[in-house]
Amino acid sequence: MSRLAHFALFFSAAVHLFLLSIICPVSSSRIYETNDAVVIETVDNSRTSYFRNPAPIPMMYSINPFVNGPYYQQQQPILSSWPYPVYKSSEDIAGPTSRQPNIACGVGPSSPPEKNIPTVSIVGGSEATPNSWPFVVGLRKYGAENVFCGGSLISPTRILTAAHCVNKLSVFETTALTVSLGMHTQGHLENTRNDAQQTRKVTRVVYHRDYNDKTKFFDIAILSIDPPVAYSKDISPICLPPANPAADQFVGKDAAVMGWGTLSSGGDQPNELQQVTVKVISNEECNVEYEGAIRNQQFCAKADGKDSCQGDSGGPIVVQNSAGSPWTQAGVVSWGRGCANPNFSGVYASVAFFRNWINTYMNN
């Protein structure tokens, strides 16, 4: 489960977007690389220019090492070093401007969703209470009614998501990418509409390139949005953990995952935001399932009949220190084999591992 939809849907969307790009005004882009990232910046030229040929962004990617086996294609870089100094502070990200209301990060339900709710959703979860997870966002492509990936709000101008949600987008798709915030109903079904309270244009995409092998990338990305988001009781940021490259930081914790992804592997997307509770397991245990493929920049979580799925990619998996405490984003929905497969856990990119990288491209 890279958690994206299947190829046929993307091919159809790509053809549609190509035709639209011939006649629709969009923005121009500037693409460059740093030692550990690919950066795509958009400039709004919609009133003066037209995009004629949506060429693919010139960037390399890798796939799951089990590409010839029954695994979804997804990056699986090999870690060889920790390139950043470890922060000693546990500073969390909250509203950075004096104009924002005094809303703390990590607002959400007092405890994880009930594990025994029988309603099938996300996979094996339940429909969330509207706006109970105020940091969750949905990513949309131009003209699309459905969310294709999730994300989390980490500041008034930054969204955290998965690299595999954005690294293969064409220039056209990147410049037309939008973020829906404060949304419960995505509005892709007949006679429905999305109820997003705020929608923002993506002005910059940064995804983490492997600093040792430039043909690979780590599954973490930051989107810049404009104009800045106004925090409210329904839209507020998630807390982030302090930087820590160690594995197994959240082992044994119940973790909540939420998104608008499919209800089963290859199935249909729900209209309303879904939630599910899974338990974080050790990398050692997960490596038994995945034959040693799990590294310190990742962790795994599972529960019987419950999982994230296609379309949940990029969304947050969050934990609490104790009941009623603020929620902290432990990881980003990344990949796995199938959805709720009893023999394979869901794999998540570790936010603590990438926290210094996140800070760098949040503040730059």
Side-chain angles (χ1 to χ4, degrees):
M1 61 192 173
S2 145
R3 310 297 191 180
L4 295 176
H6 291 166
F7 173 78
L9 294 177
F10 280 104
F11 179 78
S12 175
V15 172
H16 179 66
L17 288 167
F18 174 80
L19 295 174
L20 285 174
S21 69
I22 298 175
I23 59 174
C24 292
V26 297
S27 303
S28 61
S29 293
R30 183 169 75 99
I31 305 168
Y32 59 94
E33 298 179 345
T34 69
N35 68 322
D36 61 2
V38 174
V39 181
I40 305 101
E41 294 179 341
T42 65
V43 179
D44 188 2
N45 293 324
S46 59
R47 296 185 181 183
T48 59
S49 65
Y50 292 82
F51 194 84
R52 297 291 182 182
N53 183 19
I57 297 171
M59 53 189 72
M60 299 296 293
Y61 59 92
S62 65
I63 59 176
N64 189 288
F66 302 102
V67 63
N68 295 321
Y71 290 79
Y72 280 90
Q73 290 189 355
Q74 185 51 44
Q75 65 289 338
Q76 188 59 59
I78 302 301
L79 170 70
S80 62
S81 63
W82 169 248
Y84 302 106
V86 176
Y87 282 173
K88 294 184 179 180
S89 73
S90 59
E91 176 187 11
D92 287 322
I93 296 171
T97 68
S98 59
R99 295 184 179 181
Q100 293 288 358
N102 186 24
I103 294 179
C105 66
V107 174
S110 59
S111 61
E114 292 293 332
K115 293 183 178 181
N116 58 357
I117 294 176
T119 304
V120 175
S121 46
I122 200 167
V123 174
S126 61
E127 180 181 337
T129 299
N131 305 119
S132 58
W133 304 104
F135 45 81
V136 176
V137 307
L139 308 186
R140 297 179 191 270
K141 295 179 182 179
Y142 180 82
E145 296 177 337
N146 66 297
V147 167
F148 77 97
C149 266
S152 55
L153 182 67
I154 57 175
S155 86
T157 59
R158 299 291 191 272
I159 302 297
L160 188 63
T161 189
H164 79 261
C165 288
V166 294
N167 81 304
K168 294 183 184 179
L169 296 182
S170 69
V171 171
F172 175 81
E173 289 171 318
T174 301
T175 57
L177 195 61
T178 60
V179 176
S180 297
L181 304 103
M183 181 176 68
H184 181 67
T185 302
Q186 63 171 321
H188 72 301
L189 300 181
E190 188 176 357
N191 298 322
T192 66
R193 65 182 183 85
N194 89 72
D195 60 1
Q197 297 184 25
Q198 297 183 40
T199 300
R200 293 293 184 268
K201 173 181 170 56
V202 173
T203 59
R204 184 176 75 162
V205 172
V206 182
Y207 71 83
H208 198 322
R209 187 174 62 175
D210 186 347
Y211 27 76
N212 298 305
D213 185 346
K214 304 308 182 185
T215 67
K216 298 179 180 180
F217 65 93
F218 296 108
D219 205 13
I220 198 91
I222 295 177
L223 312 181
S224 297
I225 56 175
D226 187 65
V229 170
Y231 291 164
S232 68
K233 68 178 181 63
D234 295 331
I235 301 175
S236 60
I238 184 63
C239 300
L240 300 183
N244 189 341
D248 299 337
Q249 299 173 53
F250 300 104
V251 170
K253 280 190 172 293
D254 285 336
V257 190
M258 60 291 301
W260 291 270
T262 60
L263 305 181
S264 61
S265 185
D268 296 326
Q269 286 185 274
N271 214 17
E272 291 78 25
L273 181 68
Q274 308 295 309
Q275 60 185 8
V276 72
T277 299
V278 292
K279 186 177 289 291
V280 179
I281 65 172
S282 71
N283 280 18
E284 180 181 8
E285 179 181 349
C286 197
N287 268 319
V288 173
E289 301 172 353
Y290 286 106
E291 302 177 23
I294 307 304
R295 307 295 187 234
N296 283 13
Q297 69 265 31
Q298 300 159 321
F299 67 88
C300 302
K302 65 192 301 184
D304 291 344
K306 303 173 188 298
D307 202 357
S308 51
C309 207
Q310 293 96 20
D312 292 320
S313 282
I317 178 171
V318 298
V319 298
Q320 291 175 299
N321 287 330
S322 59
S325 65
W327 292 91
T328 295
Q329 184 168 353
V332 173
V333 178
S334 186
W335 65 280
R337 182 179 178 182
C339 303
N341 185 325
N343 299 316
F344 294 92
S345 304
V347 183
Y348 301 84
S350 168
V351 173
F353 185 97
F354 293 112
R355 178 63 194 273
N356 288 329
W357 184 88
I358 292 168
N359 286 354
T360 296
Y361 290 96
M362 274 190 61
N363 299 324
N364 185 352

